[in-house]
Amino acid sequence: MITFSQIGRRTAMFGPILAREWLVAPRRLRFYVQRVVFIWALFSIVCTTWALLAGMQSVQDVGDMARFGVLVVQIVVPIELAVAMFLTAVAAVSNVAQEKDRRTLVLLLLTRLSNAQVVLGKLTASLLSPISLIFCSVPLLLMVTLMGGLSPQQVGLATAVMVVSSLWCGALANLIAFWRDKTFQSLAIAVLAVAGWLVLCEVLAAGAIPAVDSRWAELLSPFRSLRSVCQPISDYDWLQIPGGVAAGYCLLGMTAAGLFSLTAIARLRAWNPSDQVRPRQPDPDDDLTVDRAQLGTSVVTWKARAPRPMWHNPILWRETRTWAYGRKLVLIRLAYLAGFAIALVAISWSVTSGLALQRSRLAEELLPVAAKILVPFFVVSLVMLNALAVNSITNERDGQALDLLLTTNITPAQFMTGKILGVLYVGKEMVLLPGALACYLWWQAGISTSNLSLTLTGGFILNIFAVMLGIHCGMIYARSRTAIGTSLGTLFFLFLGIATCMMIMMSFRGSFARQLPPFLAIIVGGGTGLFVAMGSRNPSPAIALAAFALPFLTFFAITSFILRGQELTVFLVLAAAYGFATLAMLVPALSEFDFAMGRSRSVDDEE
């Protein structure tokens, strides 16, 4: 029997970074908790879907079982793919960013490790957890195939697609993390790059680029490739290779991962250390040149530029009047504006073609086409605001400025106000442009005035919630990687849970009373996860109430949305739920003003 230590010694040939991660990972409690929770969540989705099916219709023959198996796989597998891509990208960025924030990457480059060992070691270390989750879910998928509708070969192809998607996402995030210096820059560019690629694939699938065959979207998009694999009868006629679309996608994905990794290996020492770390001689200040003729010398002194007047709130002044997140933030804004332009063109096309309010057949005539364009753009904006907020705290801690900041006369109200308003100001494009899309849709008579006001107000409440969640996680978690992963993971899995519930509920229409019992396990599990993420380090009755009420109220809002004509009810419920959750995190921050500084370390906190 081969143990972890024996495998760890064998992985040493790939570099000590992977070997160390392989040996240390099994010592962490979260290594096992993640897999148990992940499989439990997938199994809960399967049971919930079965309870809804059995409660609404009688399962009489093998055909009904086969249709159920296909439906479950088409719901579960995209969730696995989204989780794997998200975890890999965040892990790859945070693994490299923490080395840069602590100035230990320079020391790592001084060792005998080659560029390939550093780059590939960080990449493979970030792939351990997502890949293990994918392979742990294979027995569950094989169990579902016993019902019929799909074959084990299709499960194998779907697993290969998920593994390759994690690989190229991790390689891309690894490349960006070695290139950029600031953690937020790396996270934002990685999110925009992956989201932009998925949007480009959807544009190809829609036939918006006449010069390119729309079928190429199945080879380029992981979700479309996975959907083609999970069809009961797959069509591989147009791609005459063994394995069809899945094999073609895997080949292209591995090629992309190889190119990303080779680029990072070639440019590693050119990018690191960056110009911000390399010592530079300051420019001489001519006004301070002192000519001492009597000494026969000319003394030239240098000083920093003249101090600028500071506001009453120095935190807000620093966030808004300096380049606290790096000057390359302009590139992120330009990329975000490009995404906004694409979304604007798509909405304009949907309006001119009369599809703005046409409901989708795939969603059983429930979701309008305009919502499919607006919602992803809103979600990307919220994720970027959350990443900016959590980095506003972790940057202070990693730069060893938080200890000095806490010794000043800055009050908790000044600190929290400065951070919240500062994040909203720096990310003003993420706050204003989604609302601008909604206003354009209203101007084109796509939505009513009342719905526009509810959308703008609800979007602002969600923005405040995302910002406060990031600041809250940055304060209660001492390790930057843990804080970033928890904050982004909480927001991501919250939206992923909402999307999953909507997919299941749109597949099985029914009353609220009939749908509530099957969803209770998901609601309770989601509340427990929120409480662990938000209140495990500083538990309070308000945070516990917000954590367990948020999934239930969100489920109620989704049900009200499906019933149609209850937009005000949906808004009031969501405003109460997310507004109360924001206050539950804000009040302790103002009253206790307690930061986790990481004075002691446990095995589970080992990084």
Side-chain angles (χ1 to χ4, degrees):
M1 182 177 179
I2 300 177
T3 62
F4 270 96
S5 59
Q6 292 174 343
I7 299 178
R9 287 191 292 270
R10 296 179 183 180
T11 57
M13 66 181 68
F14 298 101
I17 297 178
L18 174 60
R20 185 232 181 220
E21 184 69 19
W22 187 275
L23 294 175
V24 172
R27 303 178 185 177
R28 303 169 182 155
L29 179 62
R30 66 173 179 264
F31 179 77
Y32 304 97
V33 173
Q34 283 179 351
R35 295 187 289 180
V36 172
V37 171
F38 184 68
I39 300 303
W40 174 84
L42 295 181
F43 187 70
S44 299
I45 294 174
V46 175
C47 295
T48 301
T49 307
W50 173 259
L52 288 173
L53 175 65
M56 295 181 182
Q57 69 181 49
S58 59
V59 181
Q60 299 178 351
D61 51 23
V62 179
D64 294 336
M65 296 289 292
R67 283 188 289 272
F68 169 75
V70 173
L71 178 62
V72 167
V73 170
Q74 291 178 349
I75 293 176
V76 169
V77 172
I79 296 174
E80 289 188 58
L81 177 61
V83 170
M85 294 175 64
F86 169 80
L87 291 181
T88 305
V90 173
V93 169
S94 59
N95 281 346
V96 179
Q98 70 171 355
E99 300 282 0
K100 290 190 173 184
D101 292 336
R102 297 177 181 179
R103 306 296 176 87
T104 56
L105 182 60
V106 178
L107 302 179
L108 195 64
L109 296 178
L110 293 176
T111 64
R112 296 181 180 179
L113 294 177
S114 63
N115 290 4
Q117 288 179 320
V118 174
V119 173
L120 297 181
K122 285 294 183 181
L123 174 60
T124 51
S126 62
L127 287 171
L128 284 180
S129 179
I131 297 295
S132 66
L133 294 180
I134 293 174
F135 284 112
C136 285
S137 64
V138 172
L140 178 63
L141 296 179
L142 292 176
M143 182 184 69
V144 175
T145 58
L146 296 177
M147 300 179 181
L150 292 176
S151 64
Q153 291 78 9
Q154 288 175 290
V155 172
L157 291 175
T159 303
V161 170
M162 290 186 285
V163 171
V164 172
S165 299
S166 298
L167 178 62
W168 72 258
C169 279
L172 175 61
N174 206 43
L175 169 67
I176 295 172
F178 280 114
W179 171 41
R180 300 302 334 138
D181 296 319
K182 300 292 184 179
T183 305
F184 171 70
Q185 294 179 9
S186 302
L187 286 171
I189 294 175
V191 170
L192 289 175
V194 175
W197 179 255
L198 296 178
V199 169
L200 177 61
C201 293
E202 294 302 318
V203 171
L204 291 177
I209 304 179
V212 181
D213 192 344
S214 61
R215 292 178 297 182
W216 275 92
E218 295 184 358
L219 281 178
L220 301 177
S221 173
F223 289 96
R224 288 193 169 270
S225 177
L226 197 62
R227 188 176 66 177
S228 66
V229 171
C230 295
Q231 296 297 326
I233 302 177
S234 301
D235 183 13
Y236 297 144
D237 294 339
W238 70 278
L239 192 63
Q240 300 296 333
I241 62 174
V245 173
Y249 171 80
C250 291
L251 181 62
L252 293 177
M254 294 177 66
T255 303
L259 292 176
F260 294 148
S261 298
L262 289 176
T263 304
I265 292 172
R267 300 293 298 170
L268 176 63
R269 298 183 186 272
W271 289 336
N272 301 281
S274 65
D275 294 336
Q276 296 180 1
V277 178
R278 296 189 182 102
R280 294 180 299 176
Q281 184 182 35
D283 297 330
D285 191 344
D286 295 335
D287 295 337
L288 293 181
T289 302
V290 180
D291 186 10
R292 298 184 178 181
Q294 66 275 21
L295 299 178
T297 60
S298 178
V299 180
V300 179
T301 61
W302 297 276
K303 72 168 186 176
R305 60 184 176 185
R308 291 179 290 176
M310 189 176 297
W311 300 344
H312 177 68
N313 189 338
I315 301 296
L316 181 60
W317 178 86
R318 177 182 180 273
E319 295 285 324
T320 58
R321 306 303 296 174
T322 66
W323 294 97
Y325 302 96
R327 296 182 181 273
K328 299 301 182 181
L329 191 64
V330 177
L331 297 178
I332 299 175
R333 288 172 174 167
L334 293 176
Y336 186 81
L337 288 175
F340 168 77
I342 294 174
L344 184 62
V345 171
I347 290 181
S348 177
W349 169 79
S350 66
V351 170
T352 55
S353 60
L355 298 175
L357 294 180
Q358 180 177 335
R359 298 171 185 176
S360 173
R361 293 175 295 178
L362 297 178
E364 295 191 1
E365 300 185 355
L366 180 65
L367 291 178
V369 175
K372 296 181 179 181
I373 302 172
L374 283 173
V375 171
F377 192 74
F378 270 77
V379 171
V380 171
S381 302
L382 290 174
V383 170
M384 294 184 65
L385 281 176
N386 183 259
L388 182 62
V390 68
N391 275 276
S392 68
I393 305 296
T394 58
N395 287 345
E396 303 279 4
R397 183 185 288 111
D398 294 332
Q400 299 180 353
L402 191 57
D403 288 323
L404 300 177
L405 191 63
L406 295 178
T407 60
T408 63
N409 294 328
I410 295 177
T411 63
Q414 287 180 323
F415 183 87
M416 296 303 300
T417 303
K419 286 296 182 182
I420 294 175
L421 296 180
V423 169
L424 292 177
Y425 176 80
V426 175
K428 52 186 175 295
E429 292 83 6
M430 296 80 170
V431 177
L432 299 177
L433 293 185
L437 287 179
C439 292
Y440 175 78
L441 189 61
W442 165 81
W443 182 55
Q444 296 291 334
I447 59 176
S448 62
T449 304
S450 60
N451 286 347
L452 174 65
S453 61
L454 296 179
T455 301
L456 295 179
T457 308
F460 181 75
I461 293 174
L462 290 177
N463 287 332
I464 298 297
F465 170 78
V467 172
M468 191 61 227
L469 177 63
I471 295 175
H472 177 75
C473 292
M475 292 176 64
I476 66 175
Y477 290 98
R479 306 299 171 190
S480 298
R481 186 168 67 178
T482 305
I484 294 171
T486 303
S487 179
L488 291 175
T490 301
L491 195 67
F492 174 78
F493 286 108
L494 184 62
F495 289 131
L496 185 64
I498 293 173
T500 303
C501 289
M502 292 191 69
M503 283 193 298
I504 298 176
M505 294 171 69
M506 286 186 296
S507 301
F508 302 97
R509 298 286 187 87
S511 63
F512 175 80
R514 182 180 298 175
Q515 292 173 340
L516 180 59
F519 278 98
L520 280 179
I522 298 179
I523 292 173
V524 174
T528 304
L530 284 175
F531 178 74
V532 171
M534 297 167 51
S536 60
R537 299 299 178 94
N538 57 345
S540 68
I543 290 181
L545 178 60
F548 285 97
L550 198 58
F552 175 79
L553 293 178
T554 303
F555 170 78
F556 179 79
I558 295 173
T559 307
S560 301
F561 170 77
I562 292 178
L563 295 177
R564 313 295 296 180
Q566 300 188 27
E567 289 80 6
L568 182 59
T569 302
V570 174
F571 168 76
L572 293 177
V573 171
L574 292 181
Y578 289 92
F580 180 78
T582 303
L583 292 177
M585 294 183 289
L586 179 61
V587 172
L590 291 174
S591 58
E592 299 176 4
F593 200 51
D594 185 22
F595 288 84
M597 303 303 296
R599 302 297 185 223
S600 61
R601 299 183 65 180
S602 62
V603 175
D604 196 53
D605 290 333
E606 186 78 22
E607 295 185 354

